[in-house]
Amino acid sequence: MALDVVDLRSFYAAPLGRLAHRFLAAVIRHWWPDTTGLAVLGCGFALPYLDLFRQEALRSLAFMPADQGVVHWPPHATQSLTSSALVDPDLLPLPDGSVDRVLLVHLLEVTEIPRDVLDEVWRVLAPSGRLIAVAPNRRGWWASVDTTPFGHGQPFSKGQLHRLLRDSLFSPERFSEILYIPPFERQTTLRMAPLFESFGRRLGLPGAGLLVAEATKQLYRPVMVRKVVRRSLPQLQPALAPLGLRRES
């Protein structure tokens, strides 16, 4: 079940949400340093991160699940000029190969069949397109506490997210794990957040709150080879002839 847009906005307006945005936005911007002339699509609730590209991208779109709710974006746009829309994530209202970058945030974990969403993303991505998928880490604290949006839905392990992308015809290029701090709004915890992040990433510790994966679109579907199983024929036994066909001696 999708999260409510009001709760998502409230989270990112709070200190813990601003901190999560800071660390996740840094990874996204590092991986996509320049989107000039590109079409960027955010699905789920990607508004806080689409702002990174709004001034330079050729086009920025924000698609949100119908059962989540939608807000106008950019913030000061009139209704006729808004770049956000309610959609069915399984049926994106875009032509094939029409976007260059897709950002999935607050979507895969609350989608009943994530593979259907990724199939649609594959369709609308250009041949050289790239995807960033963000999902709660099954081994992290954030997935086990429902006081943040990342504590709802189905979390993933790194292996599960990797297989999901591969099964959906994407080639995973790189992974990152972020949010090593506990998901609690205590001033001491928030002040120590940079230290937690630096220490956790440097040592590659388990328990990060979020998994972030970048993948490229595979242009050709793999050819499935059917395995041929050789079976020996059963040994044939002579059958008795019907009584009417036997010779009388």
Side-chain angles (χ1 to χ4, degrees), residues 163-184:
R163 285 191 296 272
L164 176 62
L165 292 170
R166 289 294 301 270
D167 290 346
S168 304
L169 303 181
F170 288 95
S171 296
E173 299 288 335
R174 48 188 167 180
F175 280 83
S176 182
E177 299 183 29
I178 64 171
L179 297 188
Y180 285 92
I181 64 169
F184 306 119

Side-chain angles (χ1 to χ4, degrees), residues 202-226:
R202 187 179 307 159
L203 298 182
L205 298 178
L210 297 183
L211 300 173
V212 190
E214 184 188 30
T216 56
K217 176 179 178 177
Q218 293 182 16
L219 297 184
Y220 304 102
R221 294 181 179 273
V223 177
M224 304 304 293
V225 179
R226 180 178 295 175

Side-chain angles (χ1 to χ4, degrees), residues 130-150:
R130 289 181 172 271
L131 159 74
I132 287 181
V134 181
N137 184 1
R138 178 181 295 277
R139 302 173 64 186
W141 288 8
W142 290 66
S144 59
V145 178
D146 61 3
T147 54
T148 80
F150 296 110

Side-chain angles (χ1 to χ4, degrees), residues 42-78:
C43 289
F45 189 79
L47 299 186
Y49 310 99
L50 284 177
D51 286 331
L52 298 169
F53 314 111
R54 184 163 60 91
Q55 298 299 328
E56 66 185 30
L58 176 65
R59 186 180 301 107
S60 299
L61 299 173
F63 286 174
M64 306 181 203
D67 52 354
Q68 169 190 286
V70 67
V71 294
H72 291 308
W73 184 83
H76 303 296
T78 62

Side-chain angles (χ1 to χ4, degrees), residues 104-197:
L104 301 181
V105 188
H106 299 295
L107 183 61
L108 291 180
E109 66 270 23
V110 294
T111 301
E112 186 175 354
I113 307 177
R115 173 70 183 272
D116 290 348
V117 172
L118 290 174
D119 286 345
E120 268 296 273
V121 171
W122 189 96
R123 181 185 66 80
V124 303
L125 263 179
S128 59
R130 289 181 172 271
L131 159 74
I132 287 181
V134 181
N137 184 1
R138 178 181 295 277
R139 302 173 64 186
W141 288 8
W142 290 66
S144 59
V145 178
D146 61 3
T147 54
T148 80
F150 296 110
H152 296 262
Q154 180 66 40
F156 293 82
S157 67
K158 184 176 179 180
Q160 288 172 332
L161 185 57
H162 185 277
R163 285 191 296 272
L164 176 62
L165 292 170
R166 289 294 301 270
D167 290 346
S168 304
L169 303 181
F170 288 95
S171 296
E173 299 288 335
R174 48 188 167 180
F175 280 83
S176 182
E177 299 183 29
I178 64 171
L179 297 188
Y180 285 92
I181 64 169
F184 306 119
E185 288 196 354
R186 295 172 182 165
Q187 290 301 319
T188 304
T189 303
L190 297 177
R191 285 196 300 266
M192 295 181 64
L195 181 62
F196 272 99
E197 289 297 304

